[in-house]
Amino acid sequence: MEIPASAWASELFKDEQTAREVRDRIGQALVDMQANARSSQQDADVSSTQVHGVARYRGAFERVSEQLADLPGAQLVKPNGFQFDLVRIGNGLLYPFCFSKKDSNVRTARIQNVWSVIRELFAFAPPAEQADLFGEYAFDSSAVELRPRLAALPEDTRLVLVPFACNAAGLLKPYWGVAALADESGTLEWVINPEPLPLPDAPTPKLTIPQQLAGHPGFDEGEQPIVALAPRPDAERKLNIPPVSEVAPIEPLTNENDEN
């Protein structure tokens, strides 16, 4: 059963069908991200979950851009100084991030590291209504100078957050919504309440190469052919006759045009 997209998403992504497609593909991307991260952790066979964390961090951006890149109107945006592509569709600029490793309330989600690119992304978010309550730590989007690739985006671009809780055991709670950055410590002020993302039942199947059967040699492991060698006659060497590497073709004594 298809779950209709919310009115805010339909407006931001231009129509209800596109909004639903974007939403569902983000869910697929996050499921793929988690499957790859868990596989990497299992293959590493180490007690630390750092392998999962690295694969999850990179995978969140790479799988989302991979899933959405071929949608009509999709634009890949790589901010200067940032190593991943973000996706802009319609007026929505998507930013996925892990807000917790536990089953936590998404409304308490925070941006863990408010560095320069994050500040610039939130210049495309609504202003915080309670910014004055945070004094000198309040975030002022009007004071942010955008780097060239972000500055080139249309003014009606709106940042859409995709927060999710995730750990090595599973993908817990993925959402999307619109929020303002209230302060430099990463506090979020939700303007559009974060909505749960529907998730597919399984990750995208991977293309696998069949394992080679044991006992079958590779193309470069076969027996070398035996080349017949014969010494040159002494008479040819004394007369400086050039060696012949190929047998000269035999000229026919007659041909079909000869008269009888």
Side-chain angles (χ1 to χ4, degrees), residues 9-251:
S10 299
E11 180 180 357
L12 199 58
F13 296 106
K14 300 303 185 180
D15 58 70
E16 199 271 341
Q17 181 178 353
T18 301
R20 189 172 63 246
E21 185 75 12
V22 171
R23 180 200 63 193
D24 294 347
R25 290 198 185 199
I26 293 174
Q28 183 68 67
L30 295 180
V31 168
D32 294 345
M33 168 210 71
Q34 174 65 359
N36 293 341
R38 290 193 67 180
S39 177
S40 298
Q41 182 67 44
Q42 291 169 357
D43 290 344
D45 194 21
V46 294
S47 58
S48 171
T49 59
Q50 288 181 341
V51 176
H52 175 275
V54 172
R56 183 264 305 156
Y57 174 72
R58 298 188 64 90
F61 297 104
E62 293 177 0
R63 298 291 79 76
V64 168
S65 61
E66 183 181 78
Q67 278 286 336
L68 299 177
D70 64 344
L71 279 180
Q75 175 187 1
L76 297 183
V77 181
K78 189 174 185 179
N80 303 78
F82 195 57
Q83 58 181 321
F84 304 110
D85 288 319
L86 303 179
V87 184
R88 183 181 186 273
I89 299 181
N91 292 335
L93 180 64
L94 298 161
Y95 180 74
F97 69 99
C98 180
F99 72 90
S100 177
K101 294 181 180 180
K102 299 181 293 185
D103 188 358
S104 303
N105 186 345
V106 68
R107 294 193 63 84
T108 65
R110 303 170 70 93
I111 300 294
Q112 299 296 325
N113 181 16
V114 184
W115 61 297
S116 57
V117 169
I118 299 299
R119 293 187 185 92
E120 293 175 43
L121 291 179
F122 274 94
F124 297 101
E129 295 181 358
Q130 300 180 3
D132 291 342
L133 299 179
F134 299 96
E136 61 182 12
Y137 297 105
F139 173 74
D140 182 7
S141 60
S142 63
V144 175
E145 181 178 353
L146 299 179
R147 57 198 69 199
R149 291 172 190 164
L150 292 178
L153 294 178
E155 293 183 0
D156 57 0
T157 299
R158 178 57 53 90
L159 182 66
V160 178
L161 300 180
V162 184
F164 57 91
C166 182
N167 57 40
L171 177 62
L172 303 175
K173 288 185 175 181
Y175 299 85
W176 70 344
V178 176
L181 183 63
D183 58 40
E184 294 287 349
S185 65
T187 302
L188 296 175
E189 183 181 303
W190 291 99
V191 178
I192 295 176
N193 289 330
E195 298 178 358
L197 289 172
L199 299 178
D201 295 330
T204 303
K206 291 185 177 181
L207 177 64
T208 57
I209 300 176
Q211 187 175 3
Q212 298 295 321
L213 297 177
H216 290 261
F219 75 94
D220 58 345
E221 297 176 350
E223 295 183 0
Q224 296 289 336
I226 299 176
V227 180
L229 301 177
R232 295 180 62 204
D234 292 339
E236 290 185 2
R237 287 199 298 270
K238 290 179 180 180
L239 295 175
N240 292 324
I241 297 176
V244 178
S245 59
E246 297 182 0
V247 178
I250 300 175
E251 295 291 340

